[in-house]
Amino acid sequence: MRHRYSILFFPLHVIVDSLSLNVAFVGAYLLKFQTIEGVSTPPYTSLWLLFNLIWLIEVLILKPYVFPRQLFKAGHLLKKMLLLTAIHIAVISMYWVAIRGYYYSREHLVITYALFLSLGAALRIAGLVFLREYRARGYNTRRYVIVGYGKLAASIHSFYETHPEMGFRFHGYFDQPTPENVGLIKGTYNELLSYVEKESIDCIYCCLTYMDNDRLKVIADHAEAGNYQVKILVDFRGFLARGASVEYHDFLPVLNLSSQVLSDFQVNIFKRSFDILFSVAALGLGMPIFFLLAAITKLTSAGPTFYAQERIGQGGKPFKIYKFRSMYTNAEQSGPVLSGGLLDNRITPWGRFMRQTRLDEIPQFYNVLKGDMSVVGPRPERQFFIDQIIEIAPEYRSLLEVKPGITSIGQIKYGYAASVEEMVQRLRYDLIYPKRRSFFFDMWIIAQTLRVMAQGRGK
């Protein structure tokens, strides 16, 4: 049976929230009255039953636990919980006024909701972390194929490869054979439906850029019988990057291409505050380690402890980036040269260790405090290489709209680039970041970076 455990998510959510609500109610009574004897006797018996009844009705009407995997995030879960709790408070308040239940302790009610929100939020975040790790390890997965091969198809594949915690497993591209896709496709359009049935595929992504409506209709018509979802990919990226928006005329979606300023003030302020606090904590708590790294760098090879180099930041503004020196001095006498990886003979033995563990990047917390960089963001490059990258991948310009960072998705998934071509490959990962900026996404990137450092897998 496909996804035999997924159907348990809804009842599990209901049970967990119901238990949390009851624990909060009894716990608040204990905190207020230093006993629980009266909680099961009138008048609190009726209030206790009403608490559970209202919550059950909310769950049945609003269905708050149904989320697609792409929206199964802490923010969505907590917002939904806050909404349900607000409705619950409103109904209880009306009941309290209607029956003139002034004999109920208002302090007990306040403590109940405070405990419930705290417990519910903690359980949701813990469950989310567990489920993401569970799916990243290959359990509770969804199988998908992509119809049509090209840049748009590669983008959705890259997205799920970058986010294994969503639990989507790729089973191949399907397209008509061409010289460009030889050896890259799983099969043709005619072989698609039989493969979907044989491999129990859950989702088919259809790229309208590479297929016609007749083929899409055939796939959609068989969806119910084949027990799979059909999702359509349309490439609006070039328009949306210029500030386009979607308007709805009744049920008809209309893309508005008028230019507009897209500025998320709250995200930027919150991110800058986090950058400052995190950098101060890292520099303050890690000061003994920094002095040790500086001393070893100085003693193991001739030259300065720190290395400064001009990079291009947000909006194309140049700045000086700082690192612990990992190469011998005069490594670029003949001009800008990319590192040839850990086997580059310009890298010192100690520098090789620092690069593997990313310890050479630590001085960049100073850049973060100055405002040149962020803790998380696409890696900054030199203008010499940016000019070459843009010739191959013009979409790189969009990365200059956000502040560069110490660590990024590209650093985690790809690492140091030894050529412009490798820089372009790393770029495919970093392009995801500007569209998905959030506190929890930054936390995930930082956690993955710490794992790479601990395992010494930086390349």
Side-chain angles (χ1 to χ4, degrees):
M1 180 180 176
R2 202 188 301 184
H3 317 314
R4 58 188 182 279
Y5 299 121
S6 295
I7 60 173
L8 300 177
F9 288 160
F10 181 83
L12 184 61
H13 273 125
V14 174
I15 292 170
V16 168
D17 272 351
S18 296
L19 287 174
S20 300
L21 187 66
N22 286 280
V23 168
F25 190 92
V26 176
Y29 193 93
L30 177 63
L31 290 173
K32 171 61 180 174
F33 301 108
Q34 306 302 311
T35 180
I36 60 171
E37 291 181 3
V39 75
S40 57
T41 58
Y44 275 90
T45 308
S46 58
L47 182 62
W48 193 0
L49 291 173
L50 185 63
F51 257 69
N52 285 277
L53 180 61
I54 293 172
W55 189 262
L56 179 61
I57 292 172
E58 284 188 84
V59 169
L60 293 175
I61 294 176
L62 300 178
K63 297 180 175 59
Y65 307 123
V66 180
F67 285 97
R69 292 193 177 205
Q70 293 82 357
L71 296 180
F72 197 68
K73 303 174 183 177
H76 288 88
L77 295 174
L78 295 179
K79 285 179 183 177
K80 187 70 73 171
M81 182 183 181
L82 287 172
L83 174 63
L84 292 175
T85 306
I87 295 173
H88 197 279
I89 292 172
V91 175
I92 289 294
S93 299
M94 288 188 291
Y95 168 77
W96 186 63
V97 172
I99 68 168
R100 297 183 179 180
Y102 307 120
Y103 41 82
Y104 291 127
S105 168
R106 283 173 287 184
E107 187 178 349
H108 167 257
L109 294 175
V110 171
I111 297 174
T112 297
Y113 286 116
L115 287 175
F116 175 60
L117 286 172
S118 301
L119 188 58
L123 290 173
R124 277 166 169 74
I125 292 174
L128 180 64
V129 171
F130 168 79
L131 191 58
R132 285 186 170 186
E133 184 64 24
Y134 185 70
R135 286 171 174 168
R137 292 177 181 272
Y139 302 100
N140 187 235
T141 58
R142 295 287 185 271
R143 302 177 176 187
Y144 75 98
V145 296
I146 301 176
V147 180
Y149 180 79
K151 285 186 177 181
L152 183 61
S155 295
I156 193 67
H157 178 213
S158 175
F159 173 79
Y160 285 128
E161 289 296 303
T162 308
H163 299 284
E165 74 278 4
M166 288 189 176
F168 279 78
R169 296 293 173 263
F170 182 56
H171 279 256
Y173 298 103
F174 283 80
D175 202 344
Q176 293 304 104
T178 65
E180 290 77 22
N181 63 28
V182 171
L184 298 172
I185 62 174
K186 193 79 172 182
T188 65
Y189 290 122
N190 295 333
E191 299 169 316
L192 172 65
L193 294 179
S194 61
Y195 181 85
V196 167
E197 181 180 359
K198 177 184 175 183
E199 298 297 328
S200 299
I201 299 299
D202 302 294
C203 183
I204 300 178
Y205 281 91
C206 298
C207 300
L208 287 188
T209 312
Y210 317 121
M211 62 184 298
D212 56 41
N213 288 336
D214 291 337
R215 289 195 174 99
L216 175 61
K217 187 176 185 303
V218 172
I219 294 170
D221 288 344
H222 285 80
E224 186 173 351
N227 192 27
Y228 59 79
Q229 293 180 321
V230 179
K231 298 188 179 182
I232 300 174
L233 290 172
V234 183
D235 195 355
F236 288 142
R237 291 172 297 181
F239 301 123
L240 295 177
R242 293 195 293 269
S245 60
V246 178
E247 301 173 349
Y248 285 90
H249 298 186
D250 290 332
F251 60 88
L252 183 66
V254 177
L255 191 65
N256 179 10
L257 300 183
S258 300
S259 177
Q260 56 182 309
V261 178
L262 298 178
S263 175
D264 194 335
F265 180 75
Q266 289 183 335
V267 169
N268 291 333
I269 291 296
F270 187 78
K271 186 174 176 65
R272 180 59 184 154
S273 300
F274 171 78
D275 284 343
I276 293 173
L277 292 174
F278 190 91
S279 299
V280 168
L283 291 172
L285 296 175
M287 194 60 68
I289 298 175
F290 304 159
F291 281 126
L292 178 62
L293 294 175
I296 297 175
T297 302
K298 187 68 175 178
L299 294 172
T300 52
S301 64
T305 302
F306 297 100
Y307 175 69
Q309 188 180 74
E310 185 177 277
R311 297 290 176 93
I312 302 301
Q314 187 176 21
K317 180 181 177 181
F319 69 97
K320 289 287 186 180
I321 192 173
Y322 297 95
K323 297 184 177 185
F324 283 120
R325 182 177 53 82
S326 61
M327 289 188 175
Y328 294 106
T329 55
N330 301 320
E332 289 190 333
Q333 287 181 324
S334 58
V337 180
L338 286 169
S339 169
L342 294 176
L343 298 179
D344 192 326
N345 58 16
R346 297 176 300 157
I347 303 174
T348 66
W350 170 244
R352 189 168 291 110
F353 169 77
M354 287 198 296
R355 284 181 170 234
Q356 285 179 309
T357 54
R358 302 282 167 80
L359 293 174
D360 61 320
E361 312 281 3
I362 287 177
Q364 288 162 39
F365 283 113
Y366 173 67
N367 287 113
V368 175
L369 289 177
K370 286 179 61 184
D372 298 327
M373 297 175 65
S374 179
V375 175
V376 178
R379 290 295 294 165
E381 298 294 347
R382 285 178 275 181
Q383 188 66 56
F384 177 81
F385 295 113
I386 289 176
D387 293 340
Q388 298 178 59
I389 293 171
I390 289 177
E391 288 184 9
I392 303 173
E395 58 269 31
Y396 178 84
R397 290 189 181 92
S398 66
L399 292 184
L400 297 177
E401 297 173 7
V402 297
K403 194 172 290 187
I406 296 176
T407 186
S408 69
I409 307 175
Q411 281 290 88
I412 296 166
K413 296 293 183 180
Y414 200 91
Y416 295 104
S419 65
V420 172
E421 288 71 23
E422 290 187 2
M423 294 172 83
V424 172
Q425 292 178 37
R426 186 176 65 187
L427 163 70
R428 304 303 177 192
Y429 293 105
D430 284 336
L431 282 171
I432 298 170
Y433 182 74
K435 303 172 186 176
R436 295 205 60 208
R437 280 195 308 168
S438 71
F439 175 74
F440 290 102
F441 192 37
D442 281 6
M443 291 300 98
W444 180 82
I445 293 174
I446 290 172
Q448 296 301 311
T449 303
L450 292 174
R451 180 168 59 85
V452 169
M453 292 175 67
Q455 296 174 348
R457 293 195 299 103
K459 78 176 185 72

